[in-house]
Amino acid sequence: LGLSLGAACGPPCAGLPALRLDPKVSRSVLPLSAVFIGMVTSNNLCLKHVGVAFYNVGRSLTTVFNVLLSYLLLKQTTSLYALLACGVIIGGFWLGVDQEGAEGTLSWTGIFFGILASLCVSLNAIYTKKVLPVVDGSIWRLTFYNNVNACVLFFPLMVLLGEFRTLYHFDKLGSPSFWGMMTLGGVFGFAIGYVTGLQIKFTSPLTHNVSGTAKACAQTVLAVIYFEETKSFLWWTSNLMVLGGSFAYTWVKGLEMRKVQEDPNVKSGERNDTGV
């Protein structure tokens, strides 16, 4: 909102839209916001119970949920090769769970929230693509409405789950270092939300999954190095299966989408508008 007020000042703010809260638009964005708070909450709860290194495997089923949602919501079937890639991902997921159990660090609560996070991430990408026309394709406006809705939706959840009582007894509310880290996290959160929306707008949820897979690979390696962890060969194999399956799925779907775009005989109803 502050940036939009500077739009009249010229570059670099000239391209920012004037923001006003339209209840009708807010209601249209509400499904995305509900999925968004589910994604934020389940991601954080997953990280609370599993290590950062295992986080990639713990919530690796996003691609599998893409296939399921494509069929359930869009009535679109998936090719055999794409299904085989999903099979590799599921195999990597189960091997990772097995290896975490062997190391004594497995948390079924973390696994549950990881699976829920995978579902929400998949839904978030799909709904972002669907809701963009409501805000005239403006990622700034979508980010604004999504965050306003999320603030409202989080409030009753905080009341129901007793979070205000937790905050009242929290001993770091007056700590500058705590608020510094929270502010930094907020900046990164805002930036990643904006860039994600921008990427989905100009490409597709599928392309977003490609970069997400590459990010997960780097995140896993950095986490193992930073926390000075030692992982077994099978543990690394599970990560490679998840990453390899994700890349294979993306490659197969990319070839299929290119074939659909090049084939004029394909019916418009068979085209995958959301690119999942």
Side-chain angles (χ1 to χ4, degrees):
L1 183 60
L3 288 171
S4 71
L5 295 176
C9 301
C13 299
L16 294 173
L19 296 177
R20 63 183 182 86
L21 191 60
D22 186 338
K24 184 178 179 180
V25 176
S26 183
R27 285 194 300 270
S28 298
V29 178
L30 196 58
L32 172 64
S33 303
V35 171
F36 174 73
I37 66 169
M39 181 180 70
V40 172
T41 303
S42 54
N43 271 331
N44 287 342
L45 289 173
C46 178
L47 274 172
K48 178 181 178 180
H49 295 283
V50 304
V52 177
F54 182 67
Y55 177 68
N56 169 42
V57 174
R59 52 170 297 263
S60 61
L61 300 180
T62 301
T63 301
V64 178
F65 280 118
N66 278 348
V67 172
L68 290 174
L69 293 172
S70 295
Y71 179 76
L72 295 175
L73 300 180
L74 306 173
K75 305 302 179 185
Q76 293 171 345
T77 57
T78 303
S79 67
L80 176 62
Y81 290 114
L83 289 175
L84 288 174
C86 289
V88 174
I89 295 172
I90 295 173
F93 171 79
W94 280 116
L95 180 59
V97 170
D98 177 72
Q99 289 304 298
E100 282 292 302
E103 294 183 3
T105 55
L106 178 65
S107 167
W108 284 107
T109 303
I111 296 299
F112 169 77
F113 284 116
I115 294 173
L116 185 60
S118 298
L119 173 61
C120 290
V121 168
S122 180
L123 284 170
N124 183 73
I126 293 173
Y127 276 107
T128 297
K129 195 74 170 180
K130 284 183 173 294
V131 170
L132 270 170
V134 177
V135 291
D136 302 321
S138 172
I139 298 298
W140 284 109
R141 291 186 68 202
L142 182 62
T143 304
F144 172 69
Y145 278 102
N146 194 29
N147 280 279
V148 169
N149 285 348
C151 288
V152 175
L153 291 172
F154 266 124
F155 190 83
L157 288 176
M158 294 177 69
V159 173
L160 289 173
L161 299 176
E163 292 296 323
F164 286 106
R165 184 167 56 253
T166 303
L167 284 173
Y168 180 77
H169 295 289
F170 188 54
D171 60 354
K172 291 185 174 61
L173 281 181
S175 169
S177 61
F178 169 76
W179 285 109
M181 292 300 293
M182 289 296 291
T183 302
L184 184 62
V187 170
F188 281 132
F190 177 83
I192 210 168
Y194 177 75
V195 172
T196 294
L198 204 63
Q199 183 183 44
I200 294 171
K201 173 185 176 180
F202 287 109
T203 57
S204 70
L206 179 63
T207 306
H208 173 58
N209 287 342
V210 178
S211 62
T213 302
K215 180 269 300 179
C217 180
Q219 176 180 282
T220 300
V221 174
L222 287 173
V224 171
I225 295 173
Y226 181 81
F227 293 107
E228 298 180 349
E229 298 175 340
T230 301
K231 298 297 183 181
S232 67
F233 173 77
L234 286 178
W235 188 92
W236 283 109
T237 300
S238 70
N239 276 268
L240 289 175
M241 287 177 67
V242 167
L243 294 170
S246 299
F247 276 120
Y249 174 85
T250 301
W251 180 65
V252 170
K253 293 299 290 185
L255 290 177
E256 292 175 357
M257 290 170 66
R258 192 177 302 116
K259 183 178 179 181
V260 168
Q261 292 170 354
E262 293 174 354
D263 189 352
N265 296 320
V266 176
K267 297 178 181 179
S268 59
E270 296 177 354
R271 296 176 184 270
N272 189 350
D273 293 331
T274 56
V276 296

